[in-house]
Amino acid sequence: MLSVRMVDPYIPRESMNIWLVQGSKGHYRYHWQSHNVKQSGVDDMVLLSKITEDGIVDNLKKRYMDDYIFTYIGPVLISVNPFKQMPYFGEKEVEMYQGAAPYENPPHIYALADTMFRNMIIDGENQCVIISGESGAGKTVAAKYIMGYISRVSGGGPKVQHIKDIILQSNPLLEAFGNAKTVRNNNSSRFGKYFEIQFSPGGEPDGGKISNFLLEKSRVVARNLGERSFHIFYQLIEGASADQKSNLGITDLEYYFYLNQSDSYKVEDINDRKDFQETLHAMNVIGIFAEEQAMVLQIVAGVLHMGNITFKEVGNYAAVESEEFLAFPAFLLGINQERLKEKLTSRKMDSKWGGKSETINVTLNVEQACYTRDALSKALHARLFDYLVDSINKAMEKDHDEYNIGVLDIYGFEIFQKNGFEQFCINFVNEKLQQIFIELTLKAEQWCAGNTNVQYTNKFRCRSVMRLCKGTSAREARLKEEYVQEGIKWTAIDYFNNKIVCDLIENKVNPPGILSILDDVCATMHATGEGADQTLLQKLQMQIGTHEHFNSWNQGFIIHHYAGKVSYNVEGFCERNRDVLFTDLIELMQSSELPFIRALFPESLQAEKKGRPTTAGSKIKKQANDLVGTLMKCTPHYIRCIKPNETKKPRDWEESRVKHQVEYLGLKENIRVRRAGYAYRRVFKKFLQRYAILTKETWPSWRGDEKQGVIFLLRSVNMDPDQYQMGKSKVFIKAPESLFLLEEMRERKYDAYARAIQKAWRKYAARKKYVQMREEASDLLLNKKERRRNSINRNFVGDYIGMEDHPELRQFIGKREKVEFADTVTKYDRRFKSIKRDLVLTPKFVYLIGREKVKEGPAKGQVKEVLKRKMELERILTVSLSTMQDDFFILHEQEYDSLLESVFKTEFISLLSKRYEERMRKKLPLRFSNTLEMKVRKDNWGPWSAGSSRQVQFIQGNGQVAVLKPSSKTLQVSIGPGLPKNSRPTKRNLMQVKQTTRPQMTAYPMRAAPPPPGFHQNGVLKGPQNNSQRPSVNNRTNQRVPHQSAAAGRPALPRPGTQLRDRNARVQNNLDFLKVPEQGAAGNRTGMTRPSEGKAHRQMSSRPPPAGGRPKPQPKPKPQVPQCKALYAYDAQDTDELSFNADDVIEIVKEDPSGWWIGRLRGKQGLFPNNYVAKI
């Protein structure tokens, strides 16, 4: 079907509701319907009657309590964390949302993911989704669902599947090393991740790349009370095998200083033992070898043991308190124990004096020694994390970029009791993301149309929005100027622009931002951070103390973020920002015996250092701006996650917390901007081009003034006048639902055309398929069996019973079994007694279904369907047929054989051969002979009980009807000659267009010519019959009857489709009364002169003789054409056939051995069956 993309991805749902119907594949799909049915709030909050924070919160609560966690604001998806597993993320939902228009189903993250995937393929543009919200709002889970959906719907072979596996398995691996339990979230991402899934032009994932931001490595050594370190430490202790624990020195959780500070070891909904196995499996999938995996775990254990090294003060200097704790970390890291002790308690410093440099060994105090130990532990974990990210990227590496979909999963906005440098950096990145949202939604909504060069897409978004430039005020002025030029009335919406907060943090000069001031302080601080933090606080007060979003207090400062005020404690700010790993520690790790660990520290210590060292603040600032630059190159999509409570329990709703998030996420402003102004505008010409198909007057092009054409089009679809304004060169449409009306009508038009094309193509493909099937079937019998004259060109139907309409038969077939063939056949038993059976073929079995009378019970006397036989295809040995044109065949099975008679034997045997070959990997044996042996089931009584085989003999006879002569163990079948054994079906040009008259007719119906009417009645052949000699009981054998049979009486008209229904034709009533009656007196004009048309009667005496009494010239003799007289009436069953009544004379244009002749009657040329006529 043709794909018609909607311009706007949402539907107004205030007046529409969702209902379920069962699709053709058994799956349920949602559809909209405009009648009032109770539903939970509104799906799209643009349609709220009152736009207030309370109204938004109330709508979200209604939906949340009814387990609807997704809601729209136009293209923006709002997701509320349910804190439980929801039931609508399975295969059924994937199929339901795949390829569906965004308005077609209820709000869902799959709808957004599908829109991204399709837009990437159709538009050829990179896509990204920005998932934002505070910690614990469900951002990481949302990212997983998006990656999972894209993995399911995208195609590909083994290589692509490998990339999909890496994409999915990267989540548990990075979560193990980068996620941790916080007071607000049991699985909080302590790093930022931008995952780019790279695609081929065909939409197959063939590569990927991960960019990670600001791992909170300080969590390795310290954290708040009630929190945990990274999951991997607990996974290793809980899930390691006995050998691993022995080799790595693993013991209880409480033993390790780095883990026992916060007094939190277990998490209610996390199984560390199981997650450890998933982590190992993920490393296998990604391609990390067993040796490297062992080194990864060795470093994790080494970090844990490093934390147990403690120091004591000896003469104002630090010394290792217990040297036995040095052994295990030194062993695991492959370094010398004495060197480790030396580097933890002393440091080399370079001193320059008078142009000379000198190296001095400085002994550290206890505080400095602890800092050095922790710095080494943090560096080991951070570099190990970078190694894992790099391994994932190498496994998905691609030589060139084509298309990609980016998923941004980054830590949410955080407000803790004590907020330090990490929270400051995290909240700064969230400010940057909020700025993107403001620029690309709120601000863009209001100035998008102001740019006359914008190209509108299906997100109510300009493509040019993606290339943000400076000078927003200029854009807004340009927008207002355009409204004035076009004469459009519009009111701007006020909203908070957080750019002022971003500048407060990242400005370089005039005034300098917090990060710049922090870097200046760090550049002048000494080896320790004593006093540096207070210096920072003083400089902040001096340089930005008057800023409206900045305040200071005795231990830190306060920033008024978009999400609220956050107080930061400056303690440790300078030390953590400096983030220096001393050269002594780098030298120590480079001396390791383990190549893996040496590779983690590749620095060149001999290189001359120039300029300031890079600080953590400058790194995160650069990463944040690079991330913004990357996102600006993509078409953005948004998910705003909301955390409903702090208890982490389902169906718990904290009104004030949700309202706070609604406020700082700017949802109210988002809705107001969406509803104000004109979300869509187009120049008249382009508008007419897009919607011209809606009316006959505008299709294919409007003739006349373009503005009048737009007005005519809008009025023809009954759009309310207050929903649009006509400018001087553009039309402005206000509400999205008005645009939806146009798009819905446009889609339906295209859908109708698509269906017409689809119907024509399917018809062509089906004909081609059935012609091929017929030829393949004919090849099975070629040069082996004579063919029936009127069946060789018959089309294949497959199901001649209509199994879908007969549940009483379908009950015997498996639920998922496809019916390949179904027909009512004649079966002969051991005594050659005939009985009707329904023969059904599926890919696995052959069924024979009969009927019996119920002998007892409430249904006594009723006829009931009974499964008589079920044969597995594997148990079929061979199929036997004669070399004559009869319809008999024998199915040879291991237990006993079945003798059957069917007009559609060729089709059945062809399908049986295909299915047999698929299952057995060999061809079905076919045996052709005029003497066939069949094995019968033994009976224990009667004169036939001794026999176990029967014989069917075929002899040459007369006529087209088989004559049967049964004896005790032999059945003799006599039949006349058929078409030669080398006969093949007539080839038909599939591209030939059917016409009413065709000068050269070469195509014939694929079904057999119908039997002459009156030949069968009640399933019994008319005429003398006896037990010893009778025609075949099969009623569909198409036979030519003698002309004398016309005297038997007026035949019944054949009903269309009788070949596909019951074979036992019922007695037709005599239809002679429907004939035109004999002429009465008014119709007898003998001796009367017909008056001239259009003239009054005149007396014969006054009329002169025609042509002066001269005789008429002889008419031109007509060419002699063969003719035939219709014996019976025939109703055409296709457009290229003739209909005629009995006694009509038909001119014969062409005779054909297929049984279908071409003739001409009453000026029309077409096909007709030759056994309905007699030549004159």
Side-chain angles (χ1 to χ4, degrees), residues 248 293-303 331-334 594:
L248 301 177
Q293 292 182 32
M295 290 307 307
V296 168
L297 299 180
Q298 198 164 314
I299 293 174
V300 172
V303 170
F331 164 72
L332 293 173
L333 299 176
L594 305 173

Side-chain angles (χ1 to χ4, degrees), residues 420-428 505 514-515 559 568 573:
F421 179 73
E422 287 77 13
Q423 279 67 48
F424 173 74
C425 293
I426 286 171
N427 292 343
F428 165 63
I505 297 173
I514 295 174
L515 288 174
I559 296 179
Y568 297 99
F573 251 66

Side-chain angles (χ1 to χ4, degrees), residues 84 105 412 652 954 1026 1130:
K84 65 177 181 179
N105 299 314
D652 186 8
F954 296 86
N1026 53 50
Y1130 178 70

Side-chain angles (χ1 to χ4, degrees), residues 795-824:
N795 203 351
F796 287 178
V797 176
D799 184 3
Y800 295 90
I801 295 176
M803 293 291 288
E804 293 297 328
D805 300 326
H806 290 85
E808 70 277 7
L809 301 178
R810 186 78 208 190
Q811 64 177 322
F812 302 111
I813 314 299
K815 287 185 178 180
R816 298 184 180 275
E817 282 191 88
K818 178 184 176 183
V819 174
E820 303 278 353
F821 178 88
D823 181 33
T824 301

Side-chain angles (χ1 to χ4, degrees), residues 54 115 126 164 178 244 249 261 471 566 578 607 684 791 833 945 1032 1059 1103 1156 1166 1169:
D54 291 335
T115 299
N126 294 338
K164 290 181 181 180
Q244 286 174 323
Q261 300 174 70
V566 182
R578 196 165 57 158
F684 297 144
S791 69
K833 181 182 177 182
S945 59
S1032 170
Q1059 290 175 311
R1103 181 180 297 177
W1156 289 94

Side-chain angles (χ1 to χ4, degrees), residues 141 292 369 389 484 516 659 751 836 1054:
V141 175
E292 295 168 322
V389 172
V484 171
S516 294
K659 186 174 181 181
D751 182 66
K836 292 292 181 182

